[in-house]
C-alpha cells in the first residue's frame, strides 16, 4: 500500500513539474501559444534561443556550455548529433504519447525506434515567386539560377548549404550526393554565374517577400504558405528538376540541466492538439496522427503542403553525403561566399 502511494506521489510530482526549460530552435518556428500552454500546465518557465541553420546549431552545441536543454536538428544532421554523443537517449518512442506518431515517422532510418527524437515538423524546399512581378512559368530552379529579366536583382537565396547546392546539382541533371565531377563543375558555375542576379542571401523571407523587398526566393513550403496568406500574389512552386523533403526533430542535449522538463516537452508535443499548435504557427506538416482535425482550415488542401504525385515521386529525403562528397559541396559553397 505504501509502495503504491509512493509511486502515485512520484507520478504526481512528474506531472506537475516546475523550474525551467531552455529551447534552442530555428527562428520564427515556435508557437507562443504552445509554449504558454506548456508553461501553465507544468509550471515551467521556458526560454527560447533562435538559430538560423543546422550548421550554426551543431557548431554551438559542439562547443558545450550552451545552457540549452532541447534542440531541433534536421534529420540530415541528426545522425551526427547521435554519433558525437551530443544528445541523450530519452526513449521518446516509449513515452505515453508516442502512440500518436504517424506510422511513417515512427521508425525513421535517422533514429530507429525513436530513441532520441520526437517529430516536430516536416516539409519541402522550392521556389517562391511574387506573381505580380513575374507572371511566367516558375516550376524550375532556373527562376533562381537563370532568371527572367523581371526578377534580376530581386532574388533571395536562403543560405542553407545543402539545399542550395542540391538545387544547382538538380538543375544540371544530377541527383542528391552527386559525385560526377562534370555535373559538380556545372553546378558550381551555375551558382557563381547566378549570384550577381541575387539581391541577398538571407533567412528573413517572410517579412521581405511580403514587403516587396524580394520578388523571388528559395524557401521552405511553410514559410511560403505564411507569405501567401499575408499576400495572395505570392506562390510556391515545385521545381521540375527535383526537390528534397526534410524533417526537424526535438532532442534533449547531453548537457541538459532540466532533463525531466525536457522529457515532459517531448511527450507534450506528441499530443495531437499540441502538434497542431506547432503547425498552425509555422504552417508546416507534422508527424503526429490526429493533429489534422485541430489544424486551421486554410492549411487543409494548401498546395504548399500537398505536392503533386509526380513531384513526390521524384523527391529525395535530404541527407548529408559521405565526407569526401560533402567536402566537395563545401568547397562549392565556400567559393560562392566570396
Amino acid at each position: 500500500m505504501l509502495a503504491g502511494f509512493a509511486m502515485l506521489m512520484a507520478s504526481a510530482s512528474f506531472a506537475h513539474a516546475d523550474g525551467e526549460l531552455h529551447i534552442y530552435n530555428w527562428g520564427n518556428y515556435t508557437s507562443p501559444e504552445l509554449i504558454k500552454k506548456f508553461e501553465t500546465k507544468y509550471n515551467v518557465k521556458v526560454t527560447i534561443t533562435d538559430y538560423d541553420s543546422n550548421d550554426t546549431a551543431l557548431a554551438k552545441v559542439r562547443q558545450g556550455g550552451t545552457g540549452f536543454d532541447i534542440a531541433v536538428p534536421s534529420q540530415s544532421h541528426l545522425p551526427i548529433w547521435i554519433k558525437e554523443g551530443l544528445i541523450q537517449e530519452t526513449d521518446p518512442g516509449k513515452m505515453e504519447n508516442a502512440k500518436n506518431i504517424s506510422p511513417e515517422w515512427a521508425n525513421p532510418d535517422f533514429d530507429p525506434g525513436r530513441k532520441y527524437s520526437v517529430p516536430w515538423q516536416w516539409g519541402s524546399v522550392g521556389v517562391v515567386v511574387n506573381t505580380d512581378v513575374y507572371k511566367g512559368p516558375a516550376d524550375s530552379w532556373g527562376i533562381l539560377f537563370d532568371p527572367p529579366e523581371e526578377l534580376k536583382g530581386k532574388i533571395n537565396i536562403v543560405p542553407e548549404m545543402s539545399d542550395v547546392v542540391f538545387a544547382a546539382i538538380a538543375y544540371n541533371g544530377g541527383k542528391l550526393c552527386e559525385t560526377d565531377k562534370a555535373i559538380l563543375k556545372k553546378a558550381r558555375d551555375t551558382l557563381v554565374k547566378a549570384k550577381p542576379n541575387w539581391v541577398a542571401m538571407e533567412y528573413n523571407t517572410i517579412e521581405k517577400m511580403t514587403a516587396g523587398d524580394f520578388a523571388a526566393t528559395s524557401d521552405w513550403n511553410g514559410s511560403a504558405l505564411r507569405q501567401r496568406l499575408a499576400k495572395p500574389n505570392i506562390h510556391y512552386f515545385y521545381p521540375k528538376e527535383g526537390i528534397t523533403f526534410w524533417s526537424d526533430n526535438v532532442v534533449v542535449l547531453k548537457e541538459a540541466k532540466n532533463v525531466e522538463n525536457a522529457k515532459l516537452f517531448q511527450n507534450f508535443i506528441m499530443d495531437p492538439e499540441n502538434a497542431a499548435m506547432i503547425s498552425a504557427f509555422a504552417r508546416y506538416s507534422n508527424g503526429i496522427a490526429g493533429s489534422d482535425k485541430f489544424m486551421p482550415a486554410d492549411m487543409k488542401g494548401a498546395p504548399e503542403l500537398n505536392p503533386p504525385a509526380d513531384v513526390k515521386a521524384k523527391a529525395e529525403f535530404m541527407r548529408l553525403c559521405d565526407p569526401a562528397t560533402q567536402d566537395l559541396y563545401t568547397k562549392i559553397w565556400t567559393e560562392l561566399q566570396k
Side-chain angles (χ1 to χ4, degrees):
M1 186 74 172
L2 287 173
F5 179 73
M7 289 178 65
L8 179 63
M9 291 305 292
S11 174
S13 63
F14 183 77
H16 297 87
D18 55 22
E20 300 177 343
L21 181 66
H22 299 274
I23 298 174
Y24 191 37
N25 198 1
W26 298 79
N28 199 10
Y29 200 40
T30 309
S31 163
E33 183 184 7
L34 174 88
I35 296 304
K36 183 177 180 181
K37 182 177 179 180
F38 180 79
E39 288 181 323
T40 301
K41 181 171 183 176
Y42 294 113
N43 192 32
V44 170
K45 175 61 179 174
V46 177
T47 58
I48 299 172
T49 303
D50 295 344
Y51 56 82
D52 59 10
S53 73
N54 277 299
D55 293 331
T56 297
L58 181 58
K60 180 75 171 178
V61 173
R62 275 173 168 164
Q63 290 174 1
T66 63
F68 304 136
D69 302 304
I70 276 175
V72 193
S74 298
Q75 90 296 327
S76 55
H77 288 65
L78 185 53
I80 298 175
W81 294 61
I82 294 172
K83 182 179 180 181
E84 296 187 8
L86 300 174
I87 55 180
Q88 300 191 27
E89 189 172 328
T90 55
D91 261 339
K94 296 179 181 178
M95 292 179 179
E96 178 188 1
N97 284 333
K99 63 182 182 291
N100 299 316
I101 300 177
S102 299
E104 62 268 32
W105 295 107
N107 190 38
D109 58 4
F110 56 84
D111 182 15
R114 289 287 180 183
K115 295 180 183 298
Y116 297 90
S117 69
V118 167
W120 180 256
Q121 294 182 101
W122 67 273
S124 61
V125 184
V127 173
V128 183
V129 175
N130 183 328
T131 56
D132 281 353
V133 178
Y134 173 68
K135 302 182 185 300
D139 61 337
S140 170
W141 291 115
I143 288 293
L144 308 177
F145 300 145
D146 189 15
E149 287 299 323
E150 300 98 309
L151 294 176
K152 289 182 179 180
K154 303 172 185 177
I155 295 169
N156 176 64
I157 297 292
V158 173
E160 189 74 16
M161 183 186 82
S162 296
D163 294 342
V164 177
V165 174
F166 166 78
I169 289 172
Y171 185 58
N172 286 283
K175 61 185 183 302
L176 189 63
C177 293
E178 182 65 67
T179 58
D180 185 293
K181 290 184 179 179
I183 291 179
L184 293 182
K185 184 180 185 304
K186 288 180 181 178
R188 173 261 177 208
D189 292 347
T190 292
L191 291 170
V192 171
K193 181 182 176 183
K195 189 177 180 181
N197 294 316
W198 304 342
V199 68
M201 293 179 68
E202 62 177 75
Y203 289 89
N204 189 21
T205 57
I206 297 174
E207 292 80 3
K208 296 210 170 176
M209 280 293 294
T210 54
D213 297 331
F214 305 150
T217 185
S218 61
D219 213 347
W220 299 295
N221 59 322
S223 172
L225 175 52
R226 293 169 78 176
Q227 293 167 42
R228 178 173 63 79
L229 292 175
K231 197 168 185 177
N233 56 310
I234 296 176
H235 294 281
Y236 183 69
F237 296 90
Y238 297 98
K240 59 190 175 187
E241 299 88 0
I243 65 165
T244 54
F245 289 124
W246 51 267
S247 73
D248 293 331
N249 304 269
V250 173
V251 298
V252 179
L253 301 188
K254 183 70 78 175
E255 64 177 27
K257 299 281 196 297
N258 303 288
V259 176
E260 293 309 313
N261 288 343
K263 290 180 181 178
L264 276 178
F265 190 77
Q266 283 187 313
N267 188 60
F268 180 77
I269 62 174
M270 289 189 286
D271 175 273
E273 190 169 354
N274 297 334
M277 285 185 185
I278 297 171
S279 292
F281 176 77
R283 299 291 175 158
Y284 295 95
S285 301
N286 64 65
I288 303 302
S291 63
D292 288 0
K293 64 183 178 181
F294 301 107
M295 298 280 201
D298 55 21
M299 290 185 70
K300 297 172 183 176
E304 295 87 350
L305 306 182
N306 295 277
D310 60 330
V311 171
K312 290 175 71 174
K314 289 182 64 176
E316 300 191 70
F317 216 73
M318 179 57 75
R319 66 184 187 278
L320 293 185
C321 310
D322 66 84
T325 304
Q326 203 65 36
D327 284 346
L328 293 174
Y329 295 178
T330 300
K331 287 178 181 177
I332 293 173
W333 186 247
T334 300
E335 186 168 355
L336 186 63
Q337 306 306 302
K338 293 178 182 177

